[in-house]
Amino acid sequence: MAVRFDLPVILFASILVTVFSAIAAADYPDPCTRPCKEGGKRMVCRYRWVLENYLTLSRACYDCPARANQTDCLRQQCVAADGVQRSIRTINRQIPGPGIQVCEGDTIEVEVINQMVMSEGVTIHWHGILQRHSPHMDGVAMVTQCPITASSKFTYRFRADDPGTHLYHSHSGLFRGDGLFGSIVVRQPKSRDLQHDLYDLDLPEHVLVMTDWSHRPVVDLYAVFFHSRKFESQSPDSILINGRGVYPPTREVLVNRTTMTPFAQFHVQANRRYRFRLINAGALRCPIEFSVDDHHLLLIASDGRPFVPFSVTSVLMFSGERYDFVLQTRASESGVYWMRARGLDKCERDSVQQFAILKYTDHITQDVIKYPDAPMNYDTPTTQDEVRFNQWFLKKSDEPEPDEHAQITNMTSLEPDDDSLRNDPDQRIFLEFAYRLRPNYHFHDPVLYPARGAGYKTVSSTMINNISNSLPPAPILTQLDDLQPDTFCNFDTMQHRNCSHEFCECTHRVVAREGEVVELVIYNSNDQDGYTHPLHLHGHSYRVVAVHRFTEKITRERFIEMDRKGLIDRRLHAAPYKDTLPIPNGGFIVLRLKADNPGTWYMHCHVALHAEIGMALTFQVNKADGDLPASPPDFPRCGVWPIVRHADDVDTNSDVKGSQDENSSGNLGEHFSDGSWIFGVLAALVFMNIVLVVTSAILCKGKVDSSRSRDLHVHTCKSLRLQGAKARTGCVVSEDERTTLI
Ligand SMILES: *[C@@H]1O[C@H](CO)[C@@H](O)[C@H](O)[C@H]1NC(C)=O
Ligand SMILES: *[C@@H]1O[C@H](CO)[C@@H](O)[C@H](O)[C@H]1NC(C)=O
Ligand SMILES: *[C@@H]1O[C@H](CO)[C@@H](O)[C@H](O)[C@H]1NC(C)=O
Ligand SMILES: *[C@@H]1O[C@H](CO)[C@@H](O)[C@H](O)[C@H]1NC(C)=O
Ligand SMILES: *[C@@H]1O[C@H](CO)[C@@H](O)[C@H](O)[C@H]1NC(C)=O
Ligand SMILES: *[C@@H]1O[C@H](CO)[C@@H](O)[C@H](O)[C@H]1NC(C)=O
Ligand SMILES: [Cu+2]
């Protein structure tokens, strides 16, 4: 009996000791992770990443979490996650992938080696890095480059010109949700950091990457969501913080279990000000509310851009957003506190959440083990001076008013006004984001189980201006000449189609010229009970000049009418910069940017599913001479194969009726009356193509060279083993090679 009581205590002891020593031992071996000095050396920071299909709780985990010692969970190449086994995708067998931390002006060079079997192509996008002068390095499959096919490699090389907290993730199919993501932090010398006096310490380990986490591969989750007979949730099961957590994260589990995966831990000392960098790398519909028990968060920057600081008790973050905050630690403490990551929106119903530990370290408590005593309920403990930042974005019509006094409008940019804030933009682009029922052949069969059939579960389509984006058969930036002009479409070119009823699918593109000031009016016409979609634009940060929500339905005409009457209040002074911003359900956002970065820039909802099935477009910025930037020499190209688009071959105009008259509902029944299985197979293939970017059919030439997989693999494993703690950073190149001056 006594043993039973003591066991958890021993367990707690072992966890904290091992986590702490692991952090201490790592000691930041990456020479690029350094204090940044004005006039300091610029470095070339090289990394080699091997992307693989992998497993949580693999052989590398030995007995994790099967006995009362967590050491095994912290072994190299052990992805413990939240203690549930599933198949994953990894970079160097880590989740998150290796963090990159450099100084502004350094050059980042990442050799990406695709060792994922089954022929799937992959790319890596550097979310928040604007890729000025390097648009070909943006990493969007079929927009800026060909996917890197299996057993091939590609080297990304770009200057770290955008200071702040960023992330990287795969940008082809849904791999991001399976583990292909990580952090990039670009630091500045004190002299260039407008906020350096707000904090004492900006430590490499104070980066928190939060992600929603499903216990099955995201592609399975979506297959079920789209094709199952009854409604199935697309919600994640869990959240991971820096790849760690416990499932389910409850006090009961903490007390009853003799084995458990470790929580992420962050160490601080009393009476200091720490800069923390918070990233939501999620792939699903799970905005995350982050808070630290008994501490305030002084928000200072978002998406890499500084603003006038203000203090909150929690920050709500959508997928792709980053917030930096300063944590003022308590005066004389030696305690432990919960850091809470609470999933809202779809995640609220299932109380999806995770915890991490904030631990005050001092000579007395360093080795004494304790979990916070505070409750581990889904509901955050309320405090008197509660300020929940950005709850406004999630308001539903039947909910009480959220905290209107802590929202995006409270952000005042610290950077000087620029041309984008002038009164009259050169171009105004209206974009309607919506989720509506269409006879979408990806999820329905117009005859066998039509979109509007009685008794069927129907699946809506995600669209911008009633167009579902599909990727072109060759990358727009590098192979524009290979693409038929009718590959592309937009609101104007689709006027001859009945897209308010039909399913309209094509490569959605809007065009601007270098130097133009563009105003984006983006509205979300699903009402207040609909979805709030996080909008991400590549290649540009934008100023947020207006955010508003309507009680009645919003349309393009209504906006124009209100604008004409002067009812749209634009903030043309000190408007904050963002690159990822929620579009409130039933509301609109007005954004301003100067199109000063020629290239093809993806603009999309950052919920992976929504983007992959159509809520995306390409914002093409032509150079002043009308051309796109020329590709670097020897840039990989891919073969152009015929596009398969259902709408091209078959007339979908029919607003298919119920199942009773299925045999007489238009052309489809006739065309395929004795072979509808072919249609099904075709539809399935197209669907797979879009969701996975299956590239086995695409022949890539040039720099993407076939590599002898076994050699590479052995080499990398060797490097990881030999370099010990150094391998934690994923940097497997010797110091000499890395410190090239540029
Ligand atoms: C846990 O196991 C490791 C290696 O197996 C060992 O070095 C360590 O002392 C153990 N810790 C405890 C608290 O038993
Ligand atoms: C956990 O332990 C408590 C008492 O300590 C008990 O009431 C509860 O049923 C246990 N839960 C599980 C899941 O075993
Ligand atoms: C946000 O701005 C409003 C209006 O100016 C103000 O009342 C509120 O206190 C601000 N909130 C914070 C957290 O600073
Ligand atoms: C899209 O279609 C809906 C009807 O399904 C219509 O109400 C809406 O105005 C259309 N949007 C645009 C931008 O044309
Ligand atoms: C668009 O399609 C719907 C449904 O098939 C039909 O009712 C409507 O009249 C069509 N509109 C136009 C302009 O063709
Ligand atoms: C539709 O056609 C199939 C085969 O051609 C037939 O078996 C079925 O009874 C028809 N259904 C209706 C509702 O007419
Ligand atoms: Cu969305």
Side-chain angles (χ1 to χ4, degrees):
M1 281 300 146
V3 174
R4 259 188 73 174
F5 177 75
D6 285 339
L7 206 48
V9 179
I10 295 165
L11 167 69
F12 299 168
S14 65
I15 295 169
L16 291 198
V17 171
T18 49
V19 169
F20 182 76
S21 52
I23 289 171
D27 200 25
Y28 316 113
D30 180 345
C32 284
T33 305
R34 63 198 193 277
C36 303
K37 293 199 186 74
E38 179 85 50
K41 275 187 198 165
R42 287 180 169 181
M43 292 172 81
V44 176
C45 306
R46 296 204 177 93
Y47 307 86
R48 168 175 290 175
W49 291 356
V50 178
L51 278 52
E52 291 172 297
N53 297 326
Y54 199 51
L55 187 70
T56 58
L57 304 174
S58 67
R59 279 199 297 280
C61 296
Y62 286 78
D63 288 334
C64 168
R67 63 180 181 201
N69 180 340
Q70 298 296 306
T71 314
D72 281 346
C73 293
L74 303 168
R75 283 173 181 267
Q76 259 177 48
Q77 299 193 14
C78 170
V79 181
D82 57 1
V84 178
Q85 191 161 66
R86 58 157 284 188
S87 113
I88 49 175
R89 314 270 179 168
T90 53
I91 301 173
N92 295 356
R93 300 191 175 169
Q94 306 169 39
I95 289 183
I100 292 180
Q101 307 217 8
V102 299
C103 293
E104 187 180 16
D106 285 353
T107 294
I108 294 173
E109 210 176 281
V110 183
E111 184 181 20
V112 174
I113 301 165
N114 182 359
Q115 289 292 351
M116 299 191 292
V117 296
M118 299 185 293
S119 301
E120 288 143 304
V122 71
T123 59
I124 301 287
H125 166 59
W126 317 92
H127 184 124
I129 304 285
L130 302 182
Q131 303 291 4
R132 259 172 228 286
H133 315 297
S134 49
H136 297 82
M137 296 297 155
D138 195 44
V140 183
M142 296 327 233
V143 175
T144 62
Q145 73 172 102
C146 303
I148 309 163
T149 50
S151 305
S152 300
K153 62 179 179 175
F154 175 82
T155 301
Y156 291 94
R157 185 186 164 95
F158 54 88
R159 270 256 303 264
D161 283 338
D162 304 288
T165 305
H166 307 301
L167 70 151
Y168 62 80
H169 57 79
S170 73
H171 217 303
S172 54
L174 303 166
F175 302 143
R176 166 159 60 102
D178 296 333
L180 297 188
F181 62 86
S183 61
I184 306 186
V185 173
V186 179
R187 287 199 177 71
Q188 292 180 299
K190 261 192 172 173
S191 53
R192 287 178 51 79
D193 178 356
L194 297 171
Q195 297 172 308
H196 69 88
D197 57 344
L198 293 176
Y199 54 89
D200 307 312
L201 292 149
D202 176 15
L203 303 178
E205 73 262 34
H206 286 165
V207 177
L208 281 98
V209 185
M210 305 186 289
T211 185
D212 43 35
W213 190 244
S214 168
H215 288 152
R216 52 181 162 178
V218 176
V219 69
D220 288 10
L221 195 70
Y222 287 159
V224 170
F225 180 71
F226 289 134
H227 296 287
S228 71
R229 283 168 293 182
K230 56 182 184 14
F231 177 79
E232 298 268 353
S233 167
Q234 49 164 305
S235 294
D237 301 291
S238 180
I239 290 171
L240 301 181
I241 300 176
N242 287 358
R244 298 198 187 285
V246 168
Y247 181 80
T250 60
R251 178 70 64 185
E252 217 177 46
V253 166
L254 213 64
V255 171
N256 293 18
R257 266 200 214 166
T258 54
T259 64
M260 208 166 51
T261 41
F263 288 109
Q265 272 200 49
F266 300 88
H267 293 223
V268 291
Q269 294 186 337
N271 210 16
R272 307 255 173 104
R273 298 170 305 164
Y274 292 89
R275 180 175 191 152
F276 276 78
R277 297 164 180 274
L278 199 54
I279 299 167
N280 184 346
L284 307 172
R285 248 190 78 190
C286 193
I288 297 173
E289 182 186 37
F290 176 85
S291 61
V292 183
D293 284 5
D294 299 321
H295 291 75
H296 284 79
L297 318 175
L298 182 70
L299 299 180
I300 62 170
S302 182
D303 300 354
R305 311 303 288 248
F307 54 77
V308 177
F310 55 93
S311 176
V312 301
T313 48
S314 74
V315 52
L316 176 67
M317 294 172 68
F318 285 72
S319 169
E321 288 194 287
R322 292 89 68 207
Y323 276 93
D324 291 19
F325 65 86
V326 174
L327 187 92
Q328 164 75 64
T329 56
R330 301 166 76 90
S332 55
E333 289 276 332
S334 53
V336 283
Y337 296 87
W338 286 127
M339 298 169 116
R340 295 170 191 260
R342 211 162 80 102
L344 295 180
D345 191 18
K346 281 283 180 201
C347 281
E348 186 157 9
R349 200 190 56 194
D350 301 324
S351 302
V352 177
Q353 73 173 149
Q354 196 51 269
F355 296 85
I357 294 173
L358 179 74
K359 183 175 195 288
Y360 282 72
T361 54
D362 59 42
H363 62 285
I364 308 163
T365 58
Q366 217 159 53
D367 303 326
V368 181
I369 306 324
K370 215 165 147 255
Y371 278 108
D373 293 326
M376 293 178 75
N377 307 333
Y378 176 72
D379 291 316
T380 314
T382 48
T383 53
Q384 286 223 306
D385 56 352
E386 188 166 81
V387 182
R388 297 172 71 196
F389 180 65
N390 267 350
Q391 292 294 322
W392 181 84
F393 277 117
L394 280 179
K395 183 173 159 39
K396 303 275 179 204
S397 49
D398 59 348
E399 280 172 359
E401 285 300 298
D403 193 340
E404 302 268 348
H405 295 298
Q407 53 165 313
I408 185 86
T409 48
N410 279 80
M411 282 164 52
T412 297
S413 176
L414 279 174
E415 296 171 85
D417 289 351
D418 63 327
D419 203 22
S420 73
L421 294 177
R422 71 182 190 220
N423 270 324
D424 296 311
D426 297 309
Q427 193 185 170
R428 178 170 298 143
I429 299 173
F430 286 89
L431 301 172
E432 180 198 64
F433 278 56
Y435 211 73
R436 290 201 180 97
L437 192 61
R438 290 287 185 274
N440 181 336
Y441 67 97
H442 295 297
F443 322 127
H444 297 283
D445 183 288
V447 173
L448 303 174
Y449 39 98
R452 290 192 173 81
Y456 291 117
K457 175 203 148 216
T458 59
V459 180
S460 307
S461 301
T462 54
M463 299 172 293
I464 301 176
N465 284 350
N466 286 332
I467 296 167
S468 280
N469 181 66
S470 64
L471 294 172
I476 305 170
L477 182 60
T478 54
Q479 291 177 245
L480 191 60
D481 290 344
D482 288 342
L483 298 173
Q484 301 294 329
D486 67 0
T487 305
F488 298 106
C489 68
N490 59 40
F491 181 77
D492 296 323
T493 68
M494 291 305 263
Q495 287 308 308
H496 69 289
R497 293 278 299 273
N498 190 354
C499 295
S500 300
H501 297 267
E502 287 172 37
F503 176 58
C504 290
E505 183 184 45
C506 40
T507 301
H508 196 168
R509 178 179 67 169
V510 295
V511 181
R513 216 184 45 248
E514 182 173 9
E516 273 187 333
V517 169
V518 177
E519 179 168 282
L520 295 163
V521 177
I522 304 183
Y523 58 99
N524 180 342
S525 67
N526 289 105
D527 64 15
Q528 283 198 27
D529 296 314
Y531 304 165
T532 287
H533 303 275
L535 170 91
H536 176 49
L537 171 64
H538 296 207
H540 298 83
S541 285
Y542 43 72
R543 298 266 196 178
V544 183
V545 299
V547 181
H548 191 75
R549 178 179 267 130
F550 284 113
T551 45
E552 321 93 278
K553 195 152 188 63
I554 174 163
T555 61
R556 182 189 180 105
E557 291 71 30
R558 194 170 136 80
F559 181 92
I560 293 170
E561 173 70 14
M562 285 182 66
D563 202 13
R564 210 175 39 78
K565 289 184 183 155
L567 296 174
I568 307 292
D569 211 3
R570 287 180 180 74
R571 177 177 181 186
L572 297 179
H573 170 61
Y577 277 109
K578 290 280 287 172
D579 62 34
T580 312
L581 182 75
I583 317 163
N585 44 12
F588 66 78
I589 56 181
V590 181
L591 313 173
R592 284 290 188 86
L593 61 88
K594 182 148 182 152
D596 53 4
N597 191 12
T600 51
W601 306 110
Y602 216 38
M603 185 196 295
H604 58 100
C605 171
H606 212 262
V607 175
L609 165 79
H610 295 182
E612 293 305 319
I613 65 167
M615 197 169 261
L617 58 76
T618 299
F619 179 57
Q620 177 172 324
V621 179
N622 292 327
K623 292 188 299 177
D625 64 9
D627 289 338
L628 280 171
S631 303
D634 297 328
F635 199 80
R637 297 172 66 84
C638 18
V640 186
W641 294 69
I643 312 184
V644 182
R645 220 181 262 143
H646 174 263
D648 294 344
D649 308 328
V650 188
D651 179 11
T652 42
N653 194 17
S654 55
D655 184 10
V656 181
K657 301 183 185 65
S659 50
Q660 288 90 336
D661 57 352
E662 62 191 20
N663 288 2
S664 57
S665 57
N667 304 341
L668 271 167
E670 284 157 38
H671 279 290
F672 292 97
S673 57
D674 55 357
S676 53
W677 64 273
I678 294 176
F679 177 73
V681 170
L682 189 69
L685 283 173
V686 174
F687 172 69
M688 289 300 285
N689 200 16
I690 288 173
V691 170
L692 288 173
V693 189
V694 174
T695 56
S696 56
I698 298 163
L699 294 172
C700 285
K701 308 175 206 122
K703 229 185 206 166
V704 172
D705 47 56
S706 193
S707 51
R708 273 149 298 151
S709 51
R710 195 150 294 276
D711 290 359
L712 278 172
H713 187 75
V714 169
H715 176 84
T716 308
C717 292
K718 219 185 280 168
S719 314
L720 288 173
R721 249 202 326 276
L722 289 176
Q723 300 205 0
K726 218 173 245 193
R728 289 166 56 90
T729 65
C731 167
V732 294
V733 190
S734 76
E735 275 187 29
D736 307 347
E737 281 177 79
R738 315 172 89 260
T739 49
T740 320
L741 282 175
I742 56 165

